Amino acid sequence: MLRSQFWKKFFEETGEIARFTGRLFSQWFKPPYEITEFLRQCFIIGYKSLPLVMLTTFIMGLVLTMQIRPFLIDYGVESQLPAMVGIAIVREIGPVITALIFAGKIGSSIGAELGSMKVTEQIDAMEVSGTNPFKYLVVTRVLAATFMLPLLVILGDAVALYGTYLGVNMSGVTSFDLFWTKVFRNLSFSDVLPAFVKSFFFGFAVGIVGCYKGYYSKKGTEGVGQSANSAVVLSSVLIFIIDLIAVQVTGVLGLN
């Protein structure tokens, strides 16, 4: 009984999100274009997330280097540390960790913000005043999340690699030029492109889930909290699912 209710709720919500996404695409290219609001959301979603992303990725690169070094020393391949950590960060760890941080900060923020507007009937007031709330609130935020996350991933990868450089030099001496030469010599186009492309899908998933949960939030303050929480959880799950699909697709295309 419980299992049937779970699957019923799962398929119902999947259908609602799919319909919500279809509505988004139908509104995407229709005028009027909310350029000012889109740029404002880019600043809020992208620029204001930068400090947290940089701090987290820096620590990630530093800790990853310190954890891997002893194993490489045991096998006598410590010189390969910059290359191994660099490939791991650029291909997988950097995009996924940055996306999860993004989901925690931006997904919950969007869900709570739109949920509060729904509860206080601000969205209904926008419809009455002749404004298209879906285009103004949802389309701008989803677009901003989709385009800002790849930029955050690039910056996060760079900061993580710098943390790796400091980690390498904690127990030895490696010049700055030599470190980056080892990193980029072992990176290829097939390492960078799939990671960059899937970060667009990560950003879209975070944006669409956060907006959906907030836009259809239940009444009351409890509903706002549930919207923010479920937006983070569902966004995180979708990030892992998208990453799994991306790995399979790149394997089929021979980019692994």
Side-chain angles (χ1 to χ4, degrees), residues 78-235:
E78 185 182 2
S79 61
Q80 297 300 314
L81 181 59
M84 292 182 63
V85 177
I87 292 174
I89 288 174
V90 172
R91 290 194 64 162
E92 190 64 28
I93 299 177
V96 172
I97 294 297
T98 303
L100 291 175
I101 297 168
F102 193 78
K105 185 178 187 302
I106 300 303
S108 61
S109 175
I110 293 176
E113 182 184 10
L114 296 190
S116 298
M117 295 181 71
K118 181 70 173 180
V119 168
T120 56
E121 299 182 349
Q122 294 180 52
I123 294 178
D124 296 334
M126 292 177 68
E127 291 179 346
V128 171
S129 64
T131 304
N132 185 343
F134 191 91
K135 195 170 188 66
Y136 185 82
L137 298 174
V138 176
V139 175
T140 54
R141 283 164 174 76
V142 174
L143 280 175
T146 303
F147 289 110
M148 287 298 103
L149 183 55
L151 298 179
L152 290 174
V153 167
I154 293 173
L155 295 172
D157 286 351
V159 173
L161 290 174
Y162 182 72
T164 301
Y165 167 73
L166 295 181
V168 168
N169 281 277
M170 289 179 68
S171 301
V173 178
T174 301
S175 68
F176 190 78
D177 292 339
L178 178 60
F179 172 82
W180 290 104
T181 299
K182 287 183 177 181
V183 170
F184 287 111
R185 182 182 294 167
N186 290 274
L187 283 175
S188 63
F189 183 74
S190 61
D191 296 320
V192 177
L193 182 62
F196 181 69
V197 171
K198 70 183 178 183
S199 62
F200 283 96
F201 291 94
F202 291 161
F204 180 83
V206 172
I208 198 72
V209 170
C211 289
Y212 168 77
K213 290 295 184 178
Y215 203 81
Y216 294 111
S217 176
K218 297 179 181 178
K219 297 293 184 180
T221 55
E222 184 180 354
V224 176
Q226 289 177 351
S227 297
N229 180 65
S230 58
V232 175
V233 174
L234 185 55
S235 297

Side-chain angles (χ1 to χ4, degrees), residues 46-60:
Y47 180 76
K48 290 192 173 182
S49 300
L50 189 58
L52 179 61
V53 169
M54 293 180 67
L55 176 62
T56 307
T57 52
F58 174 79
I59 296 174
M60 177 189 68

Side-chain angles (χ1 to χ4, degrees), residues 21-64:
T21 305
R23 184 180 176 185
L24 170 75
F25 284 117
S26 68
Q27 297 280 337
W28 199 306
F29 300 104
K30 288 183 179 180
Y33 304 109
E34 303 289 350
I35 303 298
T36 303
E37 178 64 13
F38 167 69
L39 295 176
R40 190 177 77 87
Q41 290 302 321
C42 286
F43 175 79
I44 295 172
I45 290 174
Y47 180 76
K48 290 192 173 182
S49 300
L50 189 58
L52 179 61
V53 169
M54 293 180 67
L55 176 62
T56 307
T57 52
F58 174 79
I59 296 174
M60 177 189 68
L62 185 63
V63 171
L64 187 63

